[in-house]
Amino acid sequence: TAHRRNMDKVQVALDKFSRNLEKYPQLQELENKFGVPKLYIVGGGAGVLLLVLFFGFGAGMLCNLVGFIYPAYMSFKAIESEGSDDDTQWLTYWVVYACFNMLEVFVDTILFWVPFYFAFKFGFLVWCFLPNTQGAAFLYHHFLAPFLRKHESRIDSTLEHARENSGGFVSELSQAATDLGSKAVAKGVEYKMNQQQ
């Protein structure tokens, strides 16, 4: 029957997914420790993640962590690698991420009331940073770059004006940060020297 064929397709997909989970030794450790199959561990984790995204109070924090931690680590790897293609990919992501965060600040009170907003945000951020979807590159090339090119001279003049008018303040702030950093480094070196004796 049709129902049986559909169930067979589901079982084939689950078996394939289970075989893919064999690549992760951490899941094998969890399976051995708790006696629960890897597929159930991943399914339970995904279920908890969905519950947090849809109903949890930590959904905003989870989205920010996902939008920051993995991309930050991949940016580190890109900087350390020889080629520049991955550098461009992650720089593009950070430009899109910054623009998204700036937009979100202004419409946050409205978005808070959108049902399942954090689930959509989570999906959006993952779509942006996944190398196979290249969502950030799409947004950058189709929306951000044309907008920034159109307004580049006005943005540059505004930044230059701000730089000229805030020079004294920035200089004082920079000096204070340098002094604080120097003192912290000196204390750290002193502590390390004392520790080694």
Side-chain angles (χ1 to χ4, degrees), residues 71 74-97 128-129 131 134-138 140-141 149:
M74 295 309 292
S75 296
F76 158 76
K77 289 184 71 125
I79 291 167
E80 297 294 316
S81 72
E82 293 296 321
S84 65
D85 288 345
D86 51 357
D87 297 2
T88 303
Q89 174 194 345
W90 292 108
L91 261 175
T92 304
Y93 171 79
W94 289 114
V95 169
V96 170
Y97 184 77
C128 280
F129 71 62
Q134 296 279 322
F138 174 82
Y140 177 80
H141 292 297
R149 281 188 202 106

Side-chain angles (χ1 to χ4, degrees), residues 97-119:
Y97 184 77
C99 289
F100 175 71
N101 276 341
M102 289 303 298
L103 178 67
E104 190 179 36
V105 165
F106 294 108
V107 294
D108 189 43
T109 53
I110 297 168
L111 293 176
F112 178 78
W113 296 102
V114 173
F116 309 120
Y117 167 68
F118 290 111

Side-chain angles (χ1 to χ4, degrees), residues 3 10 21 43 57 61 78 92-93 98 101 120 124 136 152 155 170 184:
H3 176 69
V10 168
L21 294 178
F57 294 106
M61 183 182 73
T92 304
Y93 171 79
N101 276 341
F120 291 120
F124 171 75
E152 186 173 8
I155 294 169
V170 170

Side-chain angles (χ1 to χ4, degrees), residues 37-51:
K38 289 183 280 294
L39 184 63
Y40 296 160
I41 293 171
V42 170
V48 168
L49 175 68
L50 287 174
L51 285 173

Side-chain angles (χ1 to χ4, degrees), residues 132-147:
N132 58 340
T133 57
Q134 296 279 322
F138 174 82
L139 292 174
Y140 177 80
H141 292 297
H142 289 87
F143 300 103
L144 280 174
F147 176 81

